Amino acid sequence: MKDVNVLMVGVGGQGVILASDALAEIGMKAGYDVKKTDSLGMAQRGGSVVSNVRWGQNVFSPMIKKGEVDFLIGFEEIEAARWASYLSPGGVAIVADVTIIPVSSMSGGVPYPGWDKIKSILAHYTEKVYLLPAARIGEEVKNPRALNMVMMGAIAAFLDLKDELWLEDIRRKVPPKFLDSSIQAFHKGAQVTQSMKEKGVSR
Amino acid sequence: MKQLLSGNEAMALGAYHSGVSFATAYPGTPSTEILESFSQFKGVYAEWSINEKVAMEVGMGAAYGGVRTMVSMKHVGLNVAADPFFALSTTGTNAGIVVISCDDPGEHSSQGEQDNRHLAKMAKVPMLEPTDSQEVYELMQWAIKISEEFDTPVLFRSTTRISHCKSIVDITKDRPAETKKPGFMRSSAKYVMVPSNARVRRTNMEERITKLKAWVEDFPMNQIIRGDRKLGVITSGVAYQYAREVFKNASFLKLVTTYPVPANMIRKFASEVDRVIVIEENDPYLEEEVRMLGIKVSGKEFFPIIGEFNPEIVEAAAVKAGLLPAPVVASKPPPAVQIPPRRPQLCAGCPHVGPEMILRKLGFDSSIKPSPVLRPLTEKEMVIAADIGCYTLGVYEPLGALDTCACMGASIGHAIGMEKAGVPNKTVSVIGDSTFMHSGITGLADMVFKQSANTVIILDNGTTAMTGGQGHPGTGMAMDGSKGPQVNLEKLCEGIGIKDIKVVSAYDMAAIEAAIKASTAAKEPSVVIVRGLCALKFKVKNTSRRVDPDLCIDCRGCLDVGCPAIIIQNDAVQIDAAACVGCGVCQQVCPQEAIVEMKS
Ligand code: SF4
Ligand code: SF4
């Protein structure tokens, strides 16, 4: 059993916590010891959100050590860049093409860096950088709020587990109204990631 | 059955399975979810109290009345509740009572950092500290047992990283069929602490600690993990997990009873290893306990005394202490790209935005740039003493509207103090409805008594928003969401003796400005209630606004609102229709009337 360290990062309200909760449950069902913890400042309203999820034989620390993240799942571009240094050398960065400009950039502070710059930061730590067309997938499944499902699909493409484990958890967590579109988003996220992985495309 | 539970959920379940059927708390991160999860169980009583002191007192009543009880709060909450907590230590209890303090190393969501382990020692109350959710669950049973066997409250200490970390719990227990039945056993010697009785109880307290000192020596969850004898690590709480991660082969003494500590066990462990170090977050609490046993030990000379630990911090300190080899550093530095910070901000449509913008306008000289340097106020500026809640986020740009914030309820005292000390500027106090209930009422009574000309602005959003929307007496909303009798804010202020009370809508900027101007001009105590429902809790949604590109001159004034729905796209100001809740505040700010209602 290989240990798996996942860091999910994004902005408050994007569904990071729901996705990381799901990932932790799935790890437990797959037979791992699991720990997960979220970091959010002041009862977080639109600030940075970071979730550590660890699967292993025997997990001690809930926090992942710098340089030991196997999967960095970025729900937003600069948030991915902020945590890039946590990636392990062979780690994988999967980033949604979502940009949410912080107030600090809008009112003339530090400008929001473009994808090229963000990619250069990520590429410093790993060669495996994938930019997911999350917005397009959201449109295709007619559920723009299903970003967390897309990202779960993306990570599912890397972890060798039965689809049923993921779907069971989604069915339990998502309200019936959004279930179909969520499952579609999950599958599309997985498919797109799989094909990028096969082509070796890192955009 | 295995389940993934957060520390807070495990505390609730553990208490339930120990026969606790009464719980009270005041919400505060990271403790809030304890009571929330507990309230989900059948056949229990769970209620938010008006503040931590009252929660403790109500809990004492229940425990005196023979019902197993849990009282939970955040670390600074125990300061508020310290008075009854110390008294409870003196009287002891009838049924088991566990007091949970959730400390916040690193101040994720607090005005300060404090290590409440000292309070157990000071109050002479046994203390338990778990290292993960499994231990939390099991330890709760012990807490109740110790409480009843030793006639004492038990301090159960968690930290953010225990409370908010999910790990696997093997649920092996069940709720006992026989939970204790209510019934008070009369004994004025035990429960009426006049000096003659208290002196007797004082002796009992000392005897209790002596007995506990022996008892903890055999406590099964204090554990020695034998590894390499060269290094012996003594640790507790989540620091234990980091230490295990960083030192793969060392010997460990994991302490779960951290007051009193098992002295013989520590001596034995120390004698088996070459070098002893203590790894603990915040204060050198265990380190001092170990040193007092005459053992040579190191700790805080290497490990930080400030902030939360993580594996890197523990590792770096271990390298500094010469316990681990220095890591090889990467050769090439990463590209120097500045990443903008992302701070929390008030929600779209938050009712606090309007009044804070007005305060900024009235209270600050706009020709002076904000800066962290101390500066004297100009004559016209106002001092804006704020309190603890969502509205404290107004200290950040672009609002930048606040001057002080110390602890729950302090805003009113601050203003009275400045005025009475002779500070020439006008003062206002900004306080939320929930915080006002928590500890603003006494400040307001003092304000009337002193005839302070301060203006108290109560931001009434109908809930305790910062911690997730709990009820309080001003809302009449009970734990299960049902509506009940409600304390009327206006009448309360009137009853206290305030004559000048104004009520304005949180979205009417002109009305707010007029009210604050009029009230601060008068020379008597006054209250302005700014009312508007919390947009997040009550899912407020009116017609969205949009920016008319033909009218917009790109002055970017609307960015001063700091509303997350106002964004810049293609270098132009736009409003995200999905995020906008139509509060209309930006519309009142725009000088060009370029922000208009979206026609359906
Ligand atoms: S939770 Fe409510 S009160 Fe707090 S920032 Fe959001 S809208 Fe404002
Ligand atoms: S009306 Fe303006 S200030 Fe209010 S929510 Fe919409 S964009 Fe934000």
Side-chain angles (χ1 to χ4, degrees):
Chain A
M1 232 182 210
K2 211 186 146 291
D3 294 2
V4 183
N5 290 332
V6 183
L7 201 65
M8 290 195 175
V9 302
V11 177
Q14 278 193 303
V16 175
I17 308 282
L18 192 94
S20 60
D21 271 346
L23 189 65
E25 296 273 342
I26 287 160
M28 179 176 77
K29 295 220 174 90
Y32 287 97
D33 184 20
V34 172
K35 280 207 172 92
K36 86 141 247 175
T37 184
D38 312 315
S39 287
L40 8 83
M42 305 255 299
Q44 219 61 7
R45 310 271 187 256
S48 302
V49 178
V50 186
S51 278
N52 292 251
V53 182
R54 304 192 65 198
W55 300 359
Q57 197 75 46
N58 226 327
V59 178
F60 291 110
S61 164
M63 311 267 263
I64 308 168
K65 232 167 82 187
K66 215 176 221 171
E68 292 191 355
V69 165
D70 302 306
F71 299 96
L72 174 64
I73 313 293
F75 284 55
E76 200 275 349
E77 291 178 11
I78 56 166
E79 295 312 314
R82 206 187 299 285
W83 295 92
S85 64
Y86 276 71
L87 275 160
S88 71
V92 178
I94 312 170
V95 184
D97 61 349
V98 174
T99 58
I100 303 173
I101 302 177
V103 188
S104 60
S105 304
M106 281 205 276
S107 41
V110 183
Y112 191 99
W115 171 248
D116 287 343
K117 284 197 179 137
I118 289 165
K119 190 179 166 197
S120 75
I121 299 175
L122 291 161
H124 177 77
Y125 296 98
T126 179
E127 286 166 6
K128 298 175 195 152
V129 180
Y130 298 91
L131 182 65
L132 273 195
R136 199 193 74 209
I137 298 175
E139 272 166 36
E140 280 172 16
V141 304
K142 299 195 181 59
N143 181 357
R145 311 222 54 194
L147 175 64
N148 51 7
M149 296 296 144
V150 177
M151 301 315 277
M152 287 228 302
I155 183 163
F158 283 93
L159 299 174
D160 195 20
L161 294 179
K162 280 201 221 76
D163 254 17
E164 199 36 46
L165 268 177
W166 300 89
L167 295 177
E168 193 193 318
D169 202 84
I170 296 174
R171 275 188 220 111
R172 218 155 37 82
K173 286 210 169 66
V174 175
K177 209 172 111 194
F178 298 108
L179 191 57
D180 280 346
S181 60
S182 296
I183 292 176
Q184 278 180 45
F186 171 80
H187 284 309
K188 295 226 175 199
Q191 275 162 21
V192 175
T193 309
Q194 187 61 34
S195 71
M196 287 203 284
K197 208 172 107 187
E198 277 158 16
K199 286 196 220 123
V201 188
S202 60
R203 295 203 282 170
Chain B
M1 187 189 42
K2 282 190 177 167
Q3 232 184 310
L4 203 55
L5 295 181
S6 72
N8 282 351
E9 290 164 336
M11 281 176 230
L13 187 64
Y16 182 67
H17 283 176
S18 316
V20 170
S21 46
F22 192 100
T24 167
Y26 183 78
T29 314
S31 71
T32 312
E33 302 82 5
I34 303 169
L35 191 73
E36 281 175 346
S37 341
F38 187 79
S39 73
Q40 305 296 316
F41 301 129
K42 284 210 177 66
V44 299
Y45 179 88
E47 195 66 86
W48 296 117
S49 288
I50 197 164
N51 63 29
E52 294 86 354
K53 180 175 186 288
V54 173
M56 188 75 71
E57 290 154 351
V58 170
M60 283 161 85
Y64 287 176
V67 173
R68 287 184 178 151
T69 298
M70 173 172 74
V71 185
S72 53
M73 61 199 61
K74 67 183 294 175
H75 59 330
V76 288
L78 194 53
N79 302 344
V80 178
D83 210 359
F85 176 60
F86 278 62
L88 173 60
S89 170
T90 311
T91 64
T93 182
N94 175 5
I97 177 164
V98 52
V99 176
I100 302 171
S101 161
C102 293
D103 293 8
D104 188 15
E107 293 149 288
H108 289 278
S109 193
S110 306
Q111 70 266 40
E113 192 173 66
Q114 73 183 38
D115 191 331
N116 277 5
R117 293 180 297 178
H118 300 294
L119 279 173
K121 203 172 168 180
M122 191 173 171
K124 299 178 184 291
V125 163
M127 171 168 57
L128 303 173
E129 273 191 89
T131 68
D132 63 14
S133 299
Q134 177 74 52
E135 265 184 18
V136 165
Y137 175 70
E138 283 165 27
L139 205 52
M140 199 49 89
Q141 324 266 332
W142 284 106
I144 291 298
K145 197 170 143 62
I146 294 171
S147 175
E148 288 179 358
E149 216 172 292
F150 293 87
D151 188 16
T152 176
V154 169
L155 186 68
F156 197 99
R157 188 218 185 214
S158 172
T159 57
T160 302
R161 208 52 73 185
I162 296 290
S163 282
H164 285 175
C165 169
K166 286 193 175 179
S167 59
I168 298 174
V169 181
D170 199 354
I171 298 159
T172 48
K173 310 201 174 55
D174 219 337
R175 187 159 167 87
E178 266 300 300
T179 56
K180 297 187 101 183
K181 292 231 159 42
F184 181 61
M185 314 248 272
R186 175 167 289 144
S187 162
S188 55
K190 179 165 164 58
Y191 294 121
V192 182
M193 284 307 101
V194 290
S196 58
N197 287 343
R199 273 181 223 117
V200 179
R201 293 296 307 172
R202 179 70 193 84
T203 316
N204 294 357
M205 286 161 78
E206 238 25 76
E207 284 168 6
R208 175 171 87 199
I209 289 298
T210 308
K211 280 193 209 129
L212 273 159
K213 278 183 179 155
W215 190 88
V216 294
E217 295 289 355
D218 302 316
F219 183 69
M221 286 164 85
N222 292 328
Q223 221 182 334
I224 292 180
I225 297 129
R226 290 201 170 79
D228 190 340
R229 299 279 161 116
K230 278 200 203 71
L231 179 65
V233 181
I234 301 177
T235 175
S236 72
V238 75
Y240 163 77
Q241 306 289 1
Y242 303 136
R244 287 288 310 256
E245 198 73 47
V246 169
F247 298 101
K248 304 275 187 222
N249 312 311
S251 294
F252 291 89
L253 170 56
K254 178 188 73 182
L255 290 178
V256 170
T257 55
T258 46
Y259 186 72
V261 293
N264 290 336
M265 191 180 193
I266 295 173
R267 282 196 196 95
K268 179 165 178 288
F269 177 74
S271 71
E272 288 174 357
V273 295
D274 298 345
R275 180 174 177 186
V276 180
I277 59 164
V278 174
I279 301 182
E280 60 190 325
E281 281 177 329
N282 288 159
D283 293 347
Y285 169 84
L286 286 176
E287 185 181 338
E288 281 165 9
E289 293 285 322
V290 174
R291 188 163 293 133
M292 273 187 300
L293 299 174
I295 295 164
K296 195 166 168 283
V297 55
S298 42
K300 288 298 165 189
E301 70 241 65
F302 304 114
F303 295 88
I305 201 163
I306 297 171
E308 183 176 49
F309 282 2
N310 61 34
E312 290 113 70
I313 290 174
V314 173
E315 187 173 58
V319 170
K320 212 166 74 185
L323 301 167
L324 285 179
V328 263
V329 276
S331 47
K332 202 172 70 182
V337 180
Q338 246 193 311
I339 301 169
R342 192 188 300 277
R343 281 200 210 90
Q345 60 193 119
L346 295 172
C347 302
C350 172
H352 300 332
V353 171
E356 299 225 42
M357 288 192 80
I358 299 292
L359 286 171
R360 170 84 209 191
K361 180 173 157 194
L362 297 178
F364 291 72
D365 185 336
S366 58
S367 66
I368 304 173
K369 278 223 172 80
S371 110
V373 185
L374 290 173
R375 73 165 170 88
L377 299 192
T378 62
E379 206 182 307
K380 282 214 196 74
E381 286 180 296
M382 284 194 305
V383 179
I384 301 167
D387 228 295
I388 296 190
C390 285
Y391 45 91
T392 321
L393 295 175
V395 72
Y396 294 127
E397 294 300 314
L399 290 167
L402 311 175
D403 284 315
T404 70
C405 168
C407 64
M408 297 287 275
S411 58
I412 300 179
H414 283 174
I416 300 172
M418 292 216 192
E419 179 190 340
K420 297 302 168 195
V423 172
N425 298 74
K426 271 274 167 192
T427 55
V428 301
S429 302
V430 185
I431 188 166
D433 50 338
S434 180
T435 312
F436 180 73
M437 289 288 161
H438 178 284
S439 46
I441 300 170
T442 40
L444 194 68
D446 194 58
M447 211 172 101
V448 170
F449 180 57
K450 309 256 173 70
Q451 279 303 295
S452 155
N454 183 41
T455 300
V456 175
I457 301 172
I458 305 178
L459 302 178
D460 180 9
N461 64 1
T463 188
T464 314
M466 189 72 161
T467 44
Q470 293 77 17
H472 60 72
T475 67
M477 196 180 78
M479 190 91 213
D480 61 3
S482 62
K483 271 283 222 174
Q486 190 175 349
V487 174
N488 181 300
L489 258 186
E490 294 89 311
K491 287 198 181 137
L492 174 67
C493 296
E494 199 188 311
I496 285 177
I498 301 282
K499 295 203 183 74
D500 178 2
I501 301 167
K502 300 184 177 74
V503 183
V504 289
S505 154
Y507 311 104
D508 186 342
M509 306 275 277
I512 300 169
E513 183 167 346
I516 296 177
K517 270 187 175 156
S519 291
T520 49
K523 292 208 164 29
E524 60 169 330
S526 55
V527 168
V528 177
I529 299 172
V530 183
R531 193 161 277 154
L533 289 181
C534 168
L536 187 72
K537 161 87 181 168
F538 299 100
K539 304 202 166 49
V540 176
K541 182 80 186 172
N542 297 311
T543 320
S544 302
R545 302 300 197 268
R546 67 179 181 88
V547 180
D548 184 336
D550 297 333
L551 295 174
C552 177
I553 54 164
D554 203 30
C555 70
R556 308 216 159 173
C558 55
L559 291 184
D560 290 345
V561 178
C563 172
I566 308 178
I567 52 176
I568 295 177
Q569 227 160 29
N570 309 324
D571 215 30
V573 174
Q574 303 208 338
I575 290 174
D576 175 355
C580 171
V581 306
C583 74
V585 166
C586 58
Q587 199 170 6
Q588 297 170 57
V589 169
C590 174
Q592 292 303 108
E593 294 180 19
I595 298 177
V596 292
E597 261 187 46
M598 199 119 103
K599 295 275 156 356
S600 48

